[in-house]
Amino acid sequence: GRDRSLQIEGGVPLSSSGMASTTMVTRARSVTCAAAARAPIHGRGNRARLATFSSRRRRPAARNASSSSRLAETRRADDEQAGASAKESSAGDYDWKRQWYPVGTLSSFEKRASLREPIEVTLLGESLVVWAEPGKTQTVWSCSKNLCPHRLAPMSEGRVRDDGRIECSYHGWQFEKESGVCTRIPQASPEEEAKFCSSSRCTLSMHPIQVKYGLVWVWPDNSKAGLAESMDKPPVWLEPLEAIDDDDIETLSNEYYQRDLEYDFDTLVENIVDSSHVPHAHSGIQGHRDRPFPYGLDVVRFDRDAGVRATVAPKDRSEPVPEAMRESYVEFLPPVAIRYRFSSTFFNSWSGAKTKPNKRSANLVVLATPTAPGKCRIFFRTTVMHAESLHFMLKLISRLRPVFLEHQTRMDVFDSDAWLLAKQETQGLEYGTKRNWRELFVTPTRADDLVLGFRRWVD
């Protein structure tokens, strides 16, 4: 599914003329991957370290005095909207490199491992290689920088041996699967080989790696302090995905949909947390433009580590938020997760159904991994928790539905607004961080409150 061309108006693939012109501009203005890897972790706010951003910023068009005054008023209103019911409870900068990021689905990686294939992945602008010993029932995964220390050939072009060692295809150097220590240099004599292999300069630069929720996760910071922190810090906790492995909770879930996208991580997060765009941007696929989403959002949590949450709320700010509505919410969980939770009570009020309220909830989880400047990788999964109250025919139909049909729907959804988002990134917004969003966005309604909360979190 990842290789399918996105379609824009007129049937032109985004991978050719339209997207190429956009991505060439953005990449030309982004720092190199090597510079990004050396970028310091300090700075003002989270945006200082949001992976790999431009050192040359796009400049917004000049504005007259009256326009500046109106923008100042809008900016004050935005701050009030996004922070009215939220408190910032954590101090200090968010460390983007000392977090766990999903890089692929376990099922797809296991298939490639069985073929002895090293797997290239990109994370925060850096090329990495993932591999595993073939034929093992309990797979032990390894990850290193995608460079052979000999002459910097990509290890992802090599092969994995029966014992799990990875071999460079250029000169045949071999490395241990867990430590990355060099074990074979064919060009050296036996006496020299032992000496050379013992040198730290001949060792692969390894990264922590683990499996959780059916995904393979990698930790970018492999410094001594970073490695120590990775031992104590788990990936982001996601209740719907935890429930899938819980025998006490009946769930109904689909398979992961994975795709690489040609726009920035923060553009994707901003898009996913904005539920109000769905009936318009995806009309006929999900919802319809004649039936806009009838609710707003009310930010109830704003925290450096816990992220931003907004509950479903009436459109009118003067109306109080019923307690039943607060059971349904949308949230951003740093560094990569977005979750939608809709309770049975919410569905009853939206659809007018008379069903008795129960514990059942529909959950959407989207994981957004920043891969490179202007690029990200998504993992999309829906899960119904406490599905025992669903009619058995609905369960049967859901379980029998072919995976390709589910993926086709997801492809149509992401295709339908991909060009909008790619164009949005060229409209005077400072690349990567959108630092000047306050000057350019006009966000007067309650539907925008979670977008504002996320933008303020990045700031």
Side-chain angles (χ1 to χ4, degrees):
R2 295 201 312 265
D3 297 331
R4 177 183 166 191
S5 295
L6 304 181
Q7 297 296 318
I8 61 172
E9 186 176 356
V12 182
L14 286 186
S15 54
S16 58
S17 59
M19 179 60 83
S21 61
T22 302
T23 53
M24 286 175 65
V25 171
T26 58
R27 288 174 195 160
R29 294 181 176 178
S30 63
V31 297
T32 64
C33 292
R38 296 193 297 270
I41 307 297
H42 59 274
R44 291 187 179 180
N46 300 328
R47 65 188 177 201
R49 293 144 320 287
L50 190 48
T52 50
F53 294 140
S54 172
S55 57
R56 295 173 59 193
R57 305 292 184 180
R58 297 193 181 101
R59 296 181 178 178
R63 299 175 181 268
N64 58 35
S66 60
S67 175
S68 298
S69 176
R70 288 195 300 271
L71 286 170
E73 292 176 4
T74 301
R75 176 172 176 171
R76 285 194 298 272
D78 287 347
D79 282 343
E80 291 172 1
Q81 292 168 23
S85 57
K87 291 185 178 180
E88 191 168 0
S89 59
S90 297
D93 292 340
Y94 189 81
D95 195 334
W96 288 90
K97 290 195 172 183
R98 293 189 181 179
Q99 311 291 336
W100 288 99
Y101 295 88
V103 294
T105 61
L106 179 61
S107 58
S108 64
F109 275 26
E110 285 179 333
K111 289 177 183 177
R112 297 185 65 180
S114 68
L115 300 174
R116 304 172 186 271
E117 290 184 14
I119 305 163
E120 181 181 9
V121 298
T122 306
L123 178 59
L124 299 184
E126 184 170 33
S127 179
L128 305 172
V129 61
V130 173
W131 77 95
E133 183 176 344
K136 287 289 186 180
T137 54
Q138 295 293 327
T139 307
V140 177
W141 293 94
S142 303
C143 178
S144 78
K145 286 183 171 54
N146 193 21
L147 293 173
C148 178
H150 177 212
R151 298 256 295 279
L152 308 185
M155 294 300 299
S156 57
E157 295 299 316
R159 61 189 294 268
V160 181
R161 301 179 63 86
D162 289 340
D163 57 6
R165 287 183 294 169
I166 189 170
E167 179 180 309
C168 179
S169 62
Y170 197 12
H171 293 92
W173 286 33
Q174 296 175 19
F175 304 87
E176 277 291 342
K177 58 185 177 183
E178 295 183 29
S179 64
V181 170
C182 184
T183 59
R184 181 82 171 101
I185 301 179
Q187 295 77 23
S189 66
E191 296 78 13
E192 290 178 321
E193 188 175 48
K195 177 183 176 182
F196 296 154
C197 287
S198 65
S199 170
S200 61
R201 295 193 63 193
C202 294
T203 300
L204 292 178
S205 180
M206 305 295 287
H207 285 260
I209 185 170
Q210 66 168 288
V211 174
K212 190 173 179 65
Y213 303 139
L215 299 169
V216 178
W217 301 70
V218 171
W219 181 275
D221 184 359
N222 65 348
S223 66
K224 186 176 180 179
L227 294 174
E229 188 171 339
S230 72
M231 301 291 289
D232 300 322
K233 190 172 188 176
V236 58
W237 187 83
L238 293 163
E239 182 186 22
L241 303 187
E242 293 278 352
I244 293 173
D245 297 325
D246 190 335
D247 294 335
D248 296 329
I249 301 176
E250 183 178 347
T251 60
L252 189 65
S253 186
N254 60 359
E255 297 297 324
Y256 281 108
Y257 167 76
Q258 174 186 319
R259 180 168 174 176
D260 291 337
L261 296 168
E262 295 285 338
Y263 43 82
D264 255 336
F265 154 84
D266 67 315
T267 299
L268 173 64
V269 174
E270 182 184 304
N271 171 254
I272 297 295
V273 301
D274 172 22
S275 57
S276 66
H277 84 280
V278 173
H280 303 278
H282 309 305
S283 182
I285 305 170
Q286 284 187 321
H288 194 277
R289 63 179 61 90
D290 292 335
R291 297 185 296 275
F293 196 59
Y295 299 101
L297 292 169
D298 180 44
V299 176
V300 296
R301 185 182 69 208
F302 186 94
D303 182 86
R304 185 198 66 180
D305 298 312
V308 189
R309 174 186 287 185
T311 62
V312 175
K315 284 184 175 181
D316 191 337
R317 294 185 188 280
S318 64
E319 293 184 32
V321 181
E323 283 303 313
M325 275 192 176
R326 295 200 181 277
E327 297 176 2
S328 300
Y329 52 81
V330 187
E331 61 183 347
F332 166 68
L333 300 166
V336 295
I338 304 105
R339 177 193 178 188
Y340 277 71
R341 182 191 188 275
F342 293 125
S343 68
S344 61
T345 307
F346 172 80
F347 278 114
N348 286 348
S349 64
W350 190 3
S351 63
K354 305 297 184 181
T355 308
K356 184 178 179 180
N358 52 56
K359 295 192 297 181
R360 188 173 72 242
S361 66
N363 298 269
L364 164 65
V365 173
V366 180
L367 299 165
T369 297
T371 53
K375 291 177 177 288
C376 60
R377 172 171 288 186
I378 61 155
F379 304 89
F380 181 108
R381 192 169 193 177
T382 56
T383 302
V384 177
M385 295 177 59
H386 301 287
E388 56 274 1
S389 59
L390 280 176
H391 194 280
F392 81 96
M393 283 301 296
L394 288 176
K395 298 179 186 178
L396 182 62
I397 292 171
S398 177
R399 287 168 178 152
L400 292 179
R401 189 184 191 205
V403 173
F404 78 87
L405 285 179
E406 175 66 25
H407 284 196
Q408 181 65 56
T409 301
R410 298 278 74 78
M411 293 292 288
D412 291 341
V413 169
F414 281 96
D415 286 356
S416 56
D417 63 4
W419 185 239
L420 298 176
L421 300 177
K423 292 295 289 183
Q424 180 197 37
E425 289 190 335
T426 69
Q427 302 304 312
L429 289 163
E430 295 182 1
Y431 182 62
T433 60
K434 297 186 177 66
R435 190 175 306 191
N436 57 340
W437 65 269
R438 297 170 188 264
E439 301 167 11
L440 300 180
F441 289 180
V442 180
T443 50
T445 71
R446 206 171 200 173
D448 294 313
D449 280 11
L450 186 52
V451 172
L452 299 179
F454 171 68
R455 292 257 58 96
R456 289 180 63 247
W457 184 91
V458 173
D459 285 349

mmCIF file of all heavy atoms in Angstrom, residues 27-53:
data_model
loop_
_atom_site.group_PDB
_atom_site.id
_atom_site.type_symbol
_atom_site.label_atom_id
_atom_site.label_comp_id
_atom_site.label_asym_id
_atom_site.label_seq_id
_atom_site.Cartn_x
_atom_site.Cartn_y
_atom_site.Cartn_z
ATOM 1 N N ARG A 27 12.794 20.517 1.153
ATOM 2 C CA ARG A 27 14.045 19.837 1.492
ATOM 3 C C ARG A 27 15.248 20.744 1.287
ATOM 4 O O ARG A 27 16.238 20.665 1.985
ATOM 5 C CB ARG A 27 14.177 18.565 0.660
ATOM 6 C CG ARG A 27 13.211 17.479 1.108
ATOM 7 C CD ARG A 27 13.258 16.298 0.187
ATOM 8 N NE ARG A 27 12.093 15.446 0.429
ATOM 9 C CZ ARG A 27 11.632 14.570 -0.431
ATOM 10 N NH1 ARG A 27 12.223 14.418 -1.590
ATOM 11 N NH2 ARG A 27 10.573 13.851 -0.144
ATOM 12 N N ALA A 28 15.165 21.615 0.256
ATOM 13 C CA ALA A 28 16.270 22.532 0.027
ATOM 14 C C ALA A 28 16.469 23.455 1.199
ATOM 15 O O ALA A 28 17.563 23.947 1.452
ATOM 16 C CB ALA A 28 16.021 23.347 -1.245
ATOM 17 N N ARG A 29 15.392 23.699 1.962
ATOM 18 C CA ARG A 29 15.473 24.621 3.088
ATOM 19 C C ARG A 29 15.675 23.897 4.415
ATOM 20 O O ARG A 29 15.602 24.504 5.471
ATOM 21 C CB ARG A 29 14.191 25.445 3.149
ATOM 22 C CG ARG A 29 14.059 26.361 1.934
ATOM 23 C CD ARG A 29 12.806 27.188 1.994
ATOM 24 N NE ARG A 29 12.759 28.118 0.877
ATOM 25 C CZ ARG A 29 11.766 28.939 0.651
ATOM 26 N NH1 ARG A 29 10.733 28.944 1.449
ATOM 27 N NH2 ARG A 29 11.786 29.753 -0.382
ATOM 28 N N SER A 30 15.824 22.609 4.378
ATOM 29 C CA SER A 30 15.987 21.870 5.633
ATOM 30 C C SER A 30 17.450 21.559 5.860
ATOM 31 O O SER A 30 18.239 21.464 4.933
ATOM 32 C CB SER A 30 15.183 20.579 5.592
ATOM 33 O OG SER A 30 15.675 19.741 4.579
ATOM 34 N N VAL A 31 17.813 21.402 7.121
ATOM 35 C CA VAL A 31 19.179 21.049 7.440
ATOM 36 C C VAL A 31 19.437 19.630 7.009
ATOM 37 O O VAL A 31 18.527 18.844 6.830
ATOM 38 C CB VAL A 31 19.440 21.194 8.955
ATOM 39 C CG1 VAL A 31 19.268 22.619 9.398
ATOM 40 C CG2 VAL A 31 18.523 20.285 9.756
ATOM 41 N N THR A 32 20.700 19.256 6.841
ATOM 42 C CA THR A 32 21.016 17.900 6.431
ATOM 43 C C THR A 32 20.768 16.934 7.571
ATOM 44 O O THR A 32 20.719 17.316 8.727
ATOM 45 C CB THR A 32 22.507 17.807 6.028
ATOM 46 O OG1 THR A 32 23.284 18.073 7.183
ATOM 47 C CG2 THR A 32 22.853 18.796 4.940
ATOM 48 N N CYS A 33 20.621 15.649 7.223
ATOM 49 C CA CYS A 33 20.371 14.642 8.254
ATOM 50 C C CYS A 33 21.529 14.582 9.235
ATOM 51 O O CYS A 33 21.336 14.402 10.427
ATOM 52 C CB CYS A 33 20.178 13.272 7.606
ATOM 53 S SG CYS A 33 18.674 13.149 6.633
ATOM 54 N N ALA A 34 22.747 14.735 8.727
ATOM 55 C CA ALA A 34 23.896 14.674 9.626
ATOM 56 C C ALA A 34 23.887 15.819 10.619
ATOM 57 O O ALA A 34 24.150 15.648 11.808
ATOM 58 C CB ALA A 34 25.190 14.707 8.812
ATOM 59 N N ALA A 35 23.543 17.020 10.143
ATOM 60 C CA ALA A 35 23.476 18.167 11.050
ATOM 61 C C ALA A 35 22.375 17.987 12.065
ATOM 62 O O ALA A 35 22.510 18.348 13.232
ATOM 63 C CB ALA A 35 23.248 19.452 10.247
ATOM 64 N N ALA A 36 21.267 17.396 11.620
ATOM 65 C CA ALA A 36 20.157 17.175 12.553
ATOM 66 C C ALA A 36 20.545 16.203 13.651
ATOM 67 O O ALA A 36 20.152 16.350 14.796
ATOM 68 C CB ALA A 36 18.946 16.637 11.796
ATOM 69 N N ALA A 37 21.325 15.178 13.286
ATOM 70 C CA ALA A 37 21.738 14.203 14.288
ATOM 71 C C ALA A 37 22.643 14.832 15.331
ATOM 72 O O ALA A 37 22.689 14.390 16.480
ATOM 73 C CB ALA A 37 22.468 13.039 13.607
ATOM 74 N N ARG A 38 23.356 15.897 14.931
ATOM 75 C CA ARG A 38 24.246 16.566 15.879
ATOM 76 C C ARG A 38 23.564 17.710 16.613
ATOM 77 O O ARG A 38 24.168 18.372 17.440
ATOM 78 C CB ARG A 38 25.461 17.129 15.124
ATOM 79 C CG ARG A 38 26.343 16.063 14.481
ATOM 80 C CD ARG A 38 27.657 16.678 14.040
ATOM 81 N NE ARG A 38 27.488 17.697 13.032
ATOM 82 C CZ ARG A 38 27.496 17.444 11.717
ATOM 83 N NH1 ARG A 38 27.639 16.214 11.291
ATOM 84 N NH2 ARG A 38 27.357 18.417 10.852
ATOM 85 N N ALA A 39 22.286 17.972 16.271
ATOM 86 C CA ALA A 39 21.596 19.119 16.855
ATOM 87 C C ALA A 39 21.520 18.991 18.370
ATOM 88 O O ALA A 39 21.252 17.925 18.886
ATOM 89 C CB ALA A 39 20.187 19.228 16.280
ATOM 90 N N PRO A 40 21.763 20.070 19.106
ATOM 91 C CA PRO A 40 21.702 19.996 20.564
ATOM 92 C C PRO A 40 20.296 19.762 21.057
ATOM 93 O O PRO A 40 19.326 20.091 20.381
ATOM 94 C CB PRO A 40 22.223 21.378 21.005
ATOM 95 C CG PRO A 40 21.918 22.276 19.853
ATOM 96 C CD PRO A 40 22.082 21.425 18.624
ATOM 97 N N ILE A 41 20.183 19.223 22.269
ATOM 98 C CA ILE A 41 18.875 18.916 22.842
ATOM 99 C C ILE A 41 18.324 20.105 23.612
ATOM 100 O O ILE A 41 17.225 20.091 24.106
ATOM 101 C CB ILE A 41 19.004 17.688 23.775
ATOM 102 C CG1 ILE A 41 19.673 16.541 23.036
ATOM 103 C CG2 ILE A 41 17.659 17.223 24.282
ATOM 104 C CD1 ILE A 41 18.905 16.040 21.867
ATOM 105 N N HIS A 42 19.122 21.159 23.754
ATOM 106 C CA HIS A 42 18.659 22.297 24.531
ATOM 107 C C HIS A 42 18.002 23.326 23.611
ATOM 108 O O HIS A 42 18.033 23.194 22.407
ATOM 109 C CB HIS A 42 19.836 22.945 25.265
ATOM 110 C CG HIS A 42 20.915 23.420 24.332
ATOM 111 N ND1 HIS A 42 21.917 22.580 23.906
ATOM 112 C CD2 HIS A 42 21.132 24.607 23.729
ATOM 113 C CE1 HIS A 42 22.726 23.258 23.085
ATOM 114 N NE2 HIS A 42 22.269 24.473 22.958
ATOM 115 N N GLY A 43 17.427 24.350 24.208
ATOM 116 C CA GLY A 43 16.801 25.406 23.427
ATOM 117 C C GLY A 43 15.519 25.848 24.083
ATOM 118 O O GLY A 43 15.121 25.341 25.112
ATOM 119 N N ARG A 44 14.847 26.766 23.479
ATOM 120 C CA ARG A 44 13.605 27.297 24.036
ATOM 121 C C ARG A 44 12.420 26.495 23.529
ATOM 122 O O ARG A 44 12.114 26.522 22.356
ATOM 123 C CB ARG A 44 13.440 28.762 23.655
ATOM 124 C CG ARG A 44 14.437 29.670 24.341
ATOM 125 C CD ARG A 44 14.084 31.109 24.036
ATOM 126 N NE ARG A 44 15.003 32.015 24.690
ATOM 127 C CZ ARG A 44 14.919 33.333 24.586
ATOM 128 N NH1 ARG A 44 13.961 33.873 23.861
ATOM 129 N NH2 ARG A 44 15.782 34.110 25.198
ATOM 130 N N GLY A 45 11.748 25.843 24.426
ATOM 131 C CA GLY A 45 10.530 25.140 24.072
ATOM 132 C C GLY A 45 10.794 23.881 23.272
ATOM 133 O O GLY A 45 11.904 23.587 22.854
ATOM 134 N N ASN A 46 9.713 23.126 23.025
ATOM 135 C CA ASN A 46 9.838 21.865 22.313
ATOM 136 C C ASN A 46 10.251 22.057 20.871
ATOM 137 O O ASN A 46 10.893 21.202 20.293
ATOM 138 C CB ASN A 46 8.502 21.126 22.355
ATOM 139 C CG ASN A 46 8.092 20.841 23.774
ATOM 140 O OD1 ASN A 46 8.944 20.639 24.633
ATOM 141 N ND2 ASN A 46 6.799 20.836 24.029
ATOM 142 N N ARG A 47 9.881 23.174 20.253
ATOM 143 C CA ARG A 47 10.156 23.359 18.833
ATOM 144 C C ARG A 47 11.646 23.410 18.537
ATOM 145 O O ARG A 47 12.068 23.152 17.419
ATOM 146 C CB ARG A 47 9.471 24.621 18.325
ATOM 147 C CG ARG A 47 10.005 25.905 18.954
ATOM 148 C CD ARG A 47 9.158 27.100 18.556
ATOM 149 N NE ARG A 47 9.619 28.302 19.196
ATOM 150 C CZ ARG A 47 8.874 29.372 19.357
ATOM 151 N NH1 ARG A 47 7.633 29.366 18.954
ATOM 152 N NH2 ARG A 47 9.341 30.451 19.942
ATOM 153 N N ALA A 48 12.488 23.734 19.553
ATOM 154 C CA ALA A 48 13.924 23.832 19.315
ATOM 155 C C ALA A 48 14.523 22.491 18.954
ATOM 156 O O ALA A 48 15.573 22.436 18.340
ATOM 157 C CB ALA A 48 14.632 24.384 20.554
ATOM 158 N N ARG A 49 13.840 21.392 19.340
ATOM 159 C CA ARG A 49 14.388 20.087 19.071
ATOM 160 C C ARG A 49 13.447 19.203 18.292
ATOM 161 O O ARG A 49 13.562 17.990 18.342
ATOM 162 C CB ARG A 49 14.731 19.361 20.386
ATOM 163 C CG ARG A 49 15.854 20.026 21.121
ATOM 164 C CD ARG A 49 15.615 19.931 22.596
ATOM 165 N NE ARG A 49 14.246 20.122 22.967
ATOM 166 C CZ ARG A 49 13.621 21.292 22.938
ATOM 167 N NH1 ARG A 49 14.242 22.387 22.585
ATOM 168 N NH2 ARG A 49 12.350 21.396 23.289
ATOM 169 N N LEU A 50 12.487 19.759 17.588
ATOM 170 C CA LEU A 50 11.514 18.936 16.889
ATOM 171 C C LEU A 50 12.171 18.314 15.666
ATOM 172 O O LEU A 50 11.904 18.645 14.529
ATOM 173 C CB LEU A 50 10.303 19.782 16.493
ATOM 174 C CG LEU A 50 9.079 19.038 15.948
ATOM 175 C CD1 LEU A 50 8.721 17.873 16.839
ATOM 176 C CD2 LEU A 50 7.915 19.963 15.783
ATOM 177 N N ALA A 51 13.133 17.427 15.955
ATOM 178 C CA ALA A 51 13.828 16.621 14.961
ATOM 179 C C ALA A 51 14.664 17.469 14.004
ATOM 180 O O ALA A 51 15.721 17.944 14.371
ATOM 181 C CB ALA A 51 12.844 15.749 14.219
ATOM 182 N N THR A 52 14.224 17.673 12.762
ATOM 183 C CA THR A 52 15.097 18.249 11.751
ATOM 184 C C THR A 52 14.392 19.367 11.024
ATOM 185 O O THR A 52 13.667 19.132 10.071
ATOM 186 C CB THR A 52 15.487 17.164 10.735
ATOM 187 O OG1 THR A 52 14.295 16.525 10.313
ATOM 188 C CG2 THR A 52 16.407 16.153 11.361
ATOM 189 N N PHE A 53 14.646 20.593 11.456
ATOM 190 C CA PHE A 53 13.933 21.702 10.860
ATOM 191 C C PHE A 53 14.889 22.674 10.178
ATOM 192 O O PHE A 53 16.086 22.630 10.339
ATOM 193 C CB PHE A 53 13.095 22.429 11.911
ATOM 194 C CG PHE A 53 11.992 21.594 12.432
ATOM 195 C CD1 PHE A 53 11.672 21.608 13.767
ATOM 196 C CD2 PHE A 53 11.302 20.765 11.584
ATOM 197 C CE1 PHE A 53 10.651 20.819 14.243
ATOM 198 C CE2 PHE A 53 10.275 19.970 12.045
ATOM 199 C CZ PHE A 53 9.956 20.005 13.379
#
